[in-house]
Amino acid sequence: MRIRRAGIVLGLLGSVSVALADTPNGWLETWAYRTADSPNSFSNMVQLRYYQPFALPSADPGWLGMMRLDTSVVSNSGPAFPGESGNQFNPGNTRLTLWANTPQISEQLQGSAGFRVSAPTGYNNPNYSASQWVAGPQLGMSWAPSNAGWFTDFSPLARYMMGFSAVSPAVTTLNRGLELYPSVGLRLTDRMTLRLWDENAFVLNTNTGVWFLPVDAYATYDLTKHWSASLGGAKRLTNTSQYDWVGYGRVVYRF
């Protein structure tokens, strides 16, 4: 019986090893943001994002799971943040996103579905984090036609986030919001790409019915097989509150 159980365990471990061997490597991203929240008031944020693909228990090998883990530190300055000088960084939100990419629906089309959870790890202070737990589902797709010139893909994503369990008395309303990312990819050169509306979303505050609409773009340059760097920014198109503008950069290391 012990030999049989050992054989079963070794078989399972072998199956896991094969699945991991067929799974793409993960990657680590370091982001830096400079956000103008209001005139003469700014937020600076450094954020780490770790992505890890993983195999899914499916008869179809086209299914692929993805995990993204974010954590950040935030520093604020200006009249909107009394008592803060911008030289002290504090923890921000910590977010976990899990999703599954479907097999090819057609030769050029793929779908995805998953969810995100955001933990209020910012000292229960709304200046650093949402000061409430926030979670919600997401749905996406990617259309990547071949031989389309500069155009590489159209990959929209929709996510609905719902706040619960506020951890600060300063929170009087739980978050409710629809995020829409009409992400478009362009290849400018063999090493440089441009993405539109991939980082900063159109947001509908479903508590108030008010839309926030930015223009967003960033360019990425592949330095080596493992390293790449990005630079971009966003500017609001509507006179509604979230931010005035944001500039950001990213460094990526692929394992």
Side-chain angles (χ1 to χ4, degrees):
M1 180 63 70
R2 289 182 180 179
I3 295 176
R4 183 180 178 185
R5 288 178 179 175
I8 292 173
V9 170
L10 289 174
L12 290 173
L13 290 174
S15 299
V16 171
S17 298
V18 171
L20 290 175
D22 294 336
T23 302
N25 293 333
W27 65 94
L28 180 66
E29 300 181 351
T30 303
W31 291 76
Y33 294 82
R34 171 77 166 176
T35 303
D37 295 287
S38 61
N40 301 316
S41 293
F42 300 93
S43 293
N44 299 311
M45 180 173 69
V46 177
Q47 183 182 76
L48 294 179
R49 300 180 187 176
Y50 175 65
Y51 291 79
Q52 181 59 58
F54 59 92
L56 292 174
S58 170
D60 191 328
W63 285 92
L64 180 66
M66 286 290 298
M67 180 198 75
R68 170 179 155 183
L69 180 64
D70 306 356
T71 188
S72 62
V73 290
V74 182
S75 175
N76 302 315
S77 63
F81 306 103
E84 298 188 46
S85 59
N87 57 5
Q88 181 178 1
F89 282 85
N90 300 277
N93 291 321
T94 297
R95 301 183 300 193
L96 174 66
T97 313
L98 294 171
W99 72 95
N101 294 320
T102 70
Q104 294 288 331
I105 299 171
S106 68
E107 185 178 353
Q108 303 169 343
L109 187 65
Q110 192 174 25
S112 69
F115 69 93
R116 167 173 286 179
V117 177
S118 180
T121 48
Y123 288 156
N124 301 341
N125 188 329
N127 289 344
Y128 309 129
S129 76
S131 293
Q132 58 187 279
W133 288 83
V134 188
Q138 64 181 49
L139 288 173
M141 58 158 279
S142 181
W143 177 58
S146 57
N147 302 319
W150 286 7
F151 177 79
T152 60
D153 66 281
F154 173 54
S155 302
L157 175 75
R159 181 186 296 122
Y160 187 72
M161 298 296 287
M162 299 167 285
F164 60 98
S165 297
V167 295
S168 169
V171 176
T172 58
T173 304
L174 294 176
N175 290 346
R176 293 287 188 275
L178 174 65
E179 304 172 0
L180 299 177
Y181 297 83
S183 181
V184 176
L186 303 171
R187 178 160 294 280
L188 306 181
T189 69
D190 289 342
R191 289 193 169 190
M192 182 176 291
T193 58
L194 179 69
R195 296 210 66 87
L196 308 175
W197 291 292
D198 192 71
E199 178 62 15
N200 290 276
F202 299 155
V203 179
L204 172 63
N205 184 332
T206 54
N207 286 325
T208 63
V210 175
W211 282 94
F212 177 79
L213 304 176
V215 59
D216 174 69
Y218 68 87
T220 299
Y221 186 80
D222 294 329
L223 301 169
T224 68
K225 178 182 178 181
H226 297 283
W227 291 94
S228 65
S230 305
L231 193 63
K235 180 73 172 70
R236 70 180 181 185
L237 301 176
T238 54
N239 191 24
T240 51
S241 61
Q242 266 211 15
Y243 54 81
D244 182 18
W245 57 262
V246 56
Y248 54 85
R250 174 185 70 167
V251 175
V252 180
Y253 177 74
R254 296 184 177 275
F255 299 105

